[in-house]
Amino acid sequence: MMIFTQARLNSQRLPKKMVRNFCGRSLWDIACEKLHRLPFPKEQKYVSVYEPELKEIAAQYDISIFDRSEASANSDKDVSLIWEICNLPFDRYVLFNACLPMLSENTILDFASCFKDNEYRSLFGVRPLKDYVWNKEGKLIHPPGTTMLNTKEFDEFPDRQLYLAAHCLYAGQCSDILNNIQLGDFSVGYPAIYPIKNKIEMFDVDDYDDFLIAEAIYDKFDKSVPW
């Protein structure tokens, strides 16, 4: 099994966000160090990068570097191209998102163990949705039978729980990726879901506002989590 993360510098919403100064380092430094510290052999730990600037940072850590193609770094839709690293001779993969600086090593490890120890074809990180949802016509579609707004109901009635994509942890078969199947057909159990309760861990740096918020809380959160 391979565990990897990847990055590129051509983000449209926040150009070069992975190498911007972030709390005296960079998001990419944090991701590479996180991968370096995971208790897997170097031969199983990869970063997939195209730009020399990203490779130079990754080379400071005891991890393997996959030479990502320019086409992969610029693709948004072709799964087999975006994750071309799955051409390496591994049967399964675990991927963590490098844009989540607060995602802890413990969570990554637990996710990888959950995938390894079960018969899941694919596994995907999700977060609990403890809120109310309307459609565009203004009809409340979740939870059913609501008569008042009280988010404690989601804890008292677990059958009402919904989950949102966390976009932080992915696992599956390399052969599926090469066949342009990212996680499955999204039927029941395919992919299996892995709920993550800590909302700060799932904070995704997507744009400039996210960057500022993450910078403001990173050091405080970092010291409170046993990485």
Side-chain angles (χ1 to χ4, degrees):
M1 184 176 73
M2 163 181 62
I3 182 161
F4 78 98
T5 190
Q6 61 184 35
R8 58 185 184 177
L9 296 183
N10 60 348
S11 170
Q12 295 180 351
R13 283 166 287 204
L14 184 56
K16 302 191 75 171
K17 70 178 177 181
M18 299 308 298
V19 294
R20 285 173 175 251
N21 187 310
F22 179 88
C23 295
R25 307 174 69 197
S26 70
L27 293 175
W28 187 233
D29 267 302
I30 292 169
C32 288
E33 182 178 12
K34 204 176 293 183
L35 181 62
H36 162 85
R37 290 164 59 99
L38 292 176
F40 293 92
K42 177 180 178 180
E43 294 74 22
Q44 291 178 245
K45 299 188 291 188
Y46 276 86
V47 294
S48 176
V49 282
Y50 165 69
E51 292 90 348
E53 193 171 355
L54 294 172
K55 292 179 181 178
E56 184 178 344
I57 293 172
Q60 301 174 51
Y61 300 90
D62 191 28
I63 53 181
S64 303
I65 300 175
F66 176 79
D67 191 13
R68 189 180 188 184
S69 69
E70 182 177 9
S72 172
N74 286 283
S75 180
D76 288 315
K77 297 181 179 179
D78 187 333
V79 171
S80 63
L81 181 58
I82 296 170
W83 292 359
E84 64 183 357
I85 189 173
C86 286
N87 282 290
L88 290 174
F90 292 96
D91 56 349
R92 300 193 296 171
Y93 69 87
V94 170
L95 164 67
F96 70 89
N97 187 345
C99 297
L100 283 74
M102 276 80 75
L103 181 65
S104 73
E105 292 170 27
N106 286 341
T107 297
I108 297 171
L109 276 174
D110 190 71
F111 177 84
S113 297
C114 183
F115 180 60
K116 180 181 178 182
D117 296 341
N118 289 280
E119 298 298 320
Y120 302 136
R121 186 166 187 86
S122 58
L123 185 64
F124 183 55
V126 296
R127 62 186 179 91
L129 172 64
K130 295 183 181 295
D131 216 332
Y132 298 81
V133 180
W134 284 261
N135 64 17
K136 64 179 181 179
E137 283 78 32
K139 178 182 178 181
L140 181 67
I141 58 176
H142 179 76
T146 297
T147 57
M148 65 176 293
L149 301 182
N150 181 355
T151 55
K152 292 180 181 178
E153 285 199 3
F154 294 100
D155 295 319
E156 296 170 1
F157 302 98
D159 58 315
R160 291 187 168 190
Q161 184 62 68
L162 289 183
Y163 296 93
L164 292 174
H167 303 294
C168 61
L169 291 164
Y170 309 72
Q173 315 299 313
C174 290
S175 59
D176 282 350
I177 296 298
L178 299 180
N179 286 317
N180 262 321
I181 302 170
Q182 187 178 36
L183 287 167
D185 60 8
F186 298 98
S187 58
V188 176
Y190 187 32
I193 60 171
Y194 175 89
I196 305 169
K197 294 182 179 180
N198 191 314
K199 64 177 71 176
I200 300 180
E201 279 198 72
M202 292 177 286
F203 191 86
D204 188 354
V205 178
D206 196 37
D207 56 27
Y208 186 62
D209 289 344
D210 294 337
F211 194 92
L212 293 178
I213 294 168
E215 256 198 324
I217 63 177
Y218 174 73
D219 282 336
K220 181 177 181 181
F221 182 76
D222 188 30
K223 293 172 183 175
S224 67
V225 175
W227 281 14

